[in-house]
Amino acid sequence: GDHAHVKLKALFVIKALAYRVPPFCACMQERLDVIREAAFVNGPPSALFGDEPYRLVREAAEAALEALTGGESYHEQYREMSQRIIGY
């Protein structure tokens, strides 16, 4: 959708899945252009919120791109830690 709050929620989900489901990152590689477009999204300022919704979308798009292209996953971060914890 064209609504900033819809894009924001979708980008949060994309970032979360990118860290938790490595095959998701592979599938999303062909759609990175859409995420890059969201990093430059702009629109008419809201009377109540101004440019804030669009700024949040731009920041979320940057975070999603980093998660999708960084090659780091949630499981890798905690695998090392779990190996250091002895007795569990």
Side-chain angles (χ1 to χ4, degrees):
D2 290 331
H3 298 287
H5 66 278
V6 174
K7 289 181 182 182
L8 184 62
K9 290 178 183 180
L11 289 165
F12 284 158
V13 169
I14 289 170
K15 179 184 172 188
L17 287 174
Y19 278 124
R20 289 175 173 82
V21 184
F24 178 78
C25 289
C27 292
M28 285 298 293
Q29 294 305 307
E30 61 192 40
R31 302 201 188 284
L32 288 179
D33 56 332
V34 176
I35 310 279
R36 286 189 184 102
E37 286 176 19
F40 297 101
V41 72
N42 213 345
S46 163
L48 184 60
F49 301 112
D51 187 50
E52 186 70 5
Y54 299 106
R55 184 188 65 78
L56 291 172
V57 168
R58 291 189 295 268
E59 288 179 1
E62 291 293 332
L65 275 172
E66 184 177 325
L68 287 167
T69 59
E72 187 176 317
S73 79
Y74 173 81
H75 298 293
E76 290 174 9
Q77 291 175 353
Y78 292 100
R79 187 177 303 139
E80 290 179 25
M81 185 185 306
S82 66
Q83 290 173 353
R84 292 186 303 199
I85 299 173
I86 298 177
Y88 291 97

